[in-house]
Amino acid sequence: MDIAFLLDKYFKGAEKVSIDVFDAQTLNTVYKDVVTTMTSHFEIEVSVLQALSYCLYEMMDNVHIHSGKPLGTAMTYYDNTKKTLSILIADDGMGVRASLSENEKYREITEEKALKMCLEDKITDGKGLGFGLYTTSRLVESIGKEFILHSGSHKLIIKDGLTSVIENGFWQGTLIYMELGTGVEIDPNQIVDHRTDVAEEYNETFVESDEIESLW
């Protein structure tokens, strides 16, 4: 994977971008390290971290489940001036359209349609629940500044409340980039349709017991 290209394209001018490569065996460790690094930025609202931690794991796990390749790359950067958090998850696997087409219902789906549909609830190739990217899209809708899903020769872009799909370059596999505002308090469980308690899951995993008491 061309890390230099990704840095120049999505993190141009940024210093100290965190870069982690993960596979099925290291996914949990890398995931926890990435979230722990995020928690060190005290300006990020806890509720944002609670929702984001769920979405981040789902995006990373998608590499393992759907890409057909062993490795994925996670890149994160917190901009202290703009108070935004940029996250990129990428693989060089089969891509969104090929993955969805493994489900007989989407056998003839186009690449453009596949990018739109994979953000909807319960859209899956049959290997997952089709919930991870849906919750990510809800997070972007709530606090997102920009969202890009690039797979094959098409790129889906959400910006300023508008969604578009354009033909733009080629990415072998799936690339997700998002820039989130971090200073607004949100309801993290609303992001996941209250199907699980992501606030409690985050607190149990990443917050010391005495810190949890201080939150209330």
Side-chain angles (χ1 to χ4, degrees), residues 11 14-18 37-45 48-49 75-87 180-183:
F11 300 91
E15 297 181 359
K16 298 182 179 179
V17 177
S18 296
T37 298
M38 293 178 184
T39 65
S40 68
H41 299 290
F42 300 110
E43 302 89 344
I44 302 178
E45 282 284 344
V48 171
L49 290 170
M75 304 173 70
T76 58
Y77 172 70
Y78 179 68
D79 190 317
N80 190 56
T81 302
K82 296 195 298 181
K83 308 301 181 191
T84 58
L85 183 63
S86 297
I87 299 168
L180 304 173
T182 61

Side-chain angles (χ1 to χ4, degrees), residues 16-204:
K16 298 182 179 179
V17 177
S18 296
I19 303 171
D20 295 278
V21 176
F22 59 92
D23 58 16
Q25 286 69 45
T26 60
L27 190 154
N28 285 327
T29 300
V30 171
Y31 160 72
K32 289 180 179 179
D33 287 345
V34 170
V35 176
T36 299
T37 298
M38 293 178 184
T39 65
S40 68
H41 299 290
F42 300 110
E43 302 89 344
I44 302 178
E45 282 284 344
V46 172
S47 59
V48 171
L49 290 170
Q50 290 168 336
L52 176 59
S53 62
Y54 180 90
C55 296
L56 178 65
Y57 184 85
E58 291 295 312
M59 288 188 291
M60 294 174 68
D61 197 40
N62 278 349
V63 174
H64 165 57
I65 295 175
H66 304 292
S67 75
K69 287 293 186 74
L71 298 179
T73 299
M75 304 173 70
T76 58
Y77 172 70
Y78 179 68
D79 190 317
N80 190 56
T81 302
K82 296 195 298 181
K83 308 301 181 191
T84 58
L85 183 63
S86 297
I87 299 168
L88 184 147
I89 306 293
D91 65 67
D92 60 355
M94 68 175 67
V96 174
R97 193 209 66 78
S99 177
L100 269 186
S101 67
E102 292 188 340
N103 185 328
E104 189 173 341
K105 291 195 301 183
Y106 312 120
R107 189 64 50 82
E108 305 300 324
I109 197 169
T110 64
E111 194 167 74
E112 180 178 359
K113 183 66 174 177
L115 294 188
K116 293 178 179 178
M117 286 191 67
C118 74
L119 299 182
E120 299 175 10
D121 193 9
K122 299 178 182 178
I123 302 297
T124 176
D125 59 6
K127 301 173 189 173
L129 299 177
F131 191 55
L133 282 180
Y134 169 65
T135 56
T136 301
S137 71
R138 288 171 62 83
L139 180 64
V140 170
E141 182 180 328
S142 178
I143 58 172
K145 305 292 185 181
E146 183 177 18
F147 176 85
I148 295 172
L149 172 59
H150 193 177
S151 184
S153 59
H154 287 80
K155 182 183 291 186
L156 181 145
I157 302 170
I158 302 175
K159 192 169 184 177
D160 298 326
L162 301 175
T163 301
S164 60
V165 178
I166 61 174
E167 199 163 355
N168 181 261
F170 183 83
W171 181 264
Q172 176 61 53
T174 303
L175 182 155
I176 300 171
Y177 170 83
M178 58 183 179
E179 182 181 328
L180 304 173
T182 61
V184 179
E185 188 172 353
I186 61 175
D187 180 351
N189 291 329
Q190 186 272 335
I191 298 296
V192 296
D193 276 347
H194 299 277
R195 298 186 200 180
T196 186
D197 192 341
V198 293
E200 182 178 351
E201 290 171 6
Y202 171 86
N203 292 342
E204 288 180 351

